[in-house]
Amino acid sequence: MTRIAKSSRIRARLRGLPIDPDIDAVEDRRHHDPSVSPFATAGRRRWPRIDWSVVAAVIVGGFFGGVTRYAVELAWPTPTGAFPWATFSVNTTGAFVLALTLVLVLEVLPPTRYVRAIVGTGFCGALTTFSSVVTSVDQLVAHGHADVAVGYVVASIAAGLAAASFGFALGRSVAAFGTTEEPA
Amino acid sequence: MILALTVGLAASVGAACRYLLDQVVQHQHDQTFPWGTFIINVTGSLLLGFVTALAEHHGLPKTATTIIGVGFAGGYTTWSTYMWESLALAEMGAWSEAAANIVASLAVGFAAAAAGFGLGQL
């Protein structure tokens, strides 16, 4: 794999699917051409081209993600000063599902425009929450439960990274299984 | 039931705002650091801290608190992308960016939530 192809794959991971592969290929050449200063902005597209059908897909996934988190929080309320198990669970589950989805979308499945938007950006993004974690931690510390707060942060990060790694690994093993089945 | 659907709608608006803001922010720089998600999580934490204080000190109705806090702020901010981007940075060898993303998001997030809470108490 060439350096450009590899970095373009990494860029795609961090930036989103190349919705329009031609445009992204042009952008990548501009970024990695050593004769062009990385600080040259002349002629660079500074605003993304928004595909509103992708936004609609994010909205659909976001609705179900939000409703699911709300239902879990209702069914599993957190008493004052206690470890927020409901938020911890949805965040860890979402980290796993997102990593699995992204590996499948970026490395296994044929190019698709909406799976990432619905399942990843929409559903997993809305299912999980960052604001609730930091606000709960602030509140726990303010009310004298610093031990619970520290445990909550450390457990959320550790479990989130472990769950995402597991999602990565599972997706990759599916990919490996797929390639051994089909002769190259 | 109506409240659950409204929370879902607010979350979907939050998710759309996150997607659009992330697209715009990520087009403004060439660094490997995921500034889009960072800014989203910090601003969402500020909002949730603010709404929480309004509910505790100024009697913001529980319905409004739930729709804005659980729905919008929850749908807008994301833990899954935060974890995934940190892992993706580590996987491409950008260990310092990965660690900085984890630590700085939390540190600035705590400060933003506290600032929002302080603003809402005024």
Side-chain angles (χ1 to χ4, degrees), chain A residues 15-35:
Chain A
R15 266 217 189 153
L17 262 184
I19 286 168
D20 182 339
D22 293 337
I23 297 281
D24 275 54
V26 170
E27 268 216 340
D28 278 324
R29 269 199 295 281
R30 198 178 292 134
H31 281 290
H32 300 284
D33 182 350
S35 67

Side-chain angles (χ1 to χ4, degrees), chain A residues 13 31 46 69 138 172, chain B residues 28 30 70 84 91 110:
Chain A
R13 278 199 196 162
H31 281 290
R46 271 297 181 190
R69 176 166 37 78
D138 280 354
R172 292 255 166 87
Chain B
Q28 308 306 313
D30 290 327
V70 180
W84 182 72
E91 213 207 14
F110 291 143

Side-chain angles (χ1 to χ4, degrees), chain B residues 34-56:
Chain B
W35 285 109
T37 307
F38 178 85
I39 290 170
I40 287 157
N41 280 342
V42 167
T43 50
S45 302
L46 181 82
L47 174 70
L48 185 59
F50 183 66
V51 171
T52 307
L54 286 186
E56 282 187 17

Side-chain angles (χ1 to χ4, degrees), chain A residues 9 53 99 101 111 123 162 171:
Chain A
R9 209 178 64 153
S53 68
T101 304
F123 183 80

Side-chain angles (χ1 to χ4, degrees), chain A residues 55-100:
Chain A
V55 178
V58 170
I59 287 175
V60 171
F63 176 83
F64 290 104
V67 169
T68 306
R69 176 166 37 78
Y70 182 57
V72 173
E73 308 258 357
L74 277 185
W76 201 354
T78 303
T80 312
F83 189 98
W85 284 108
T87 307
F88 174 82
S89 304
V90 292
N91 277 351
T92 306
T93 310
F96 166 73
V97 176
L98 179 69
L100 178 63

Side-chain angles (χ1 to χ4, degrees), chain A residues 10 13 15 31 44 46-47 59 63 69-70 98 102 121 124-125 128 130-131 134-135 138-139 168 172, chain B residues 3 8 12 18 24 26-30 45 56 70 74 77-80 84 87 91-92 105 110 113-114:
Chain A
I10 289 167
R13 278 199 196 162
R15 266 217 189 153
H31 281 290
R44 237 190 102 203
R46 271 297 181 190
W47 294 95
I59 287 175
F63 176 83
R69 176 166 37 78
Y70 182 57
L98 179 69
L102 290 181
T121 313
C124 291
T128 64
F130 181 92
S131 53
V134 293
T135 308
D138 280 354
Q139 298 276 77
F168 259 125
R172 292 255 166 87
Chain B
L3 182 58
S12 65
R18 167 163 44 80
V24 170
Q26 292 303 88
H27 266 78
Q28 308 306 313
H29 67 87
D30 290 327
S45 302
E56 282 187 17
V70 180
T77 64
T78 173
W79 189 265
S80 52
W84 182 72
L87 206 62
E91 213 207 14
M92 57 190 262
S105 296
F110 291 143

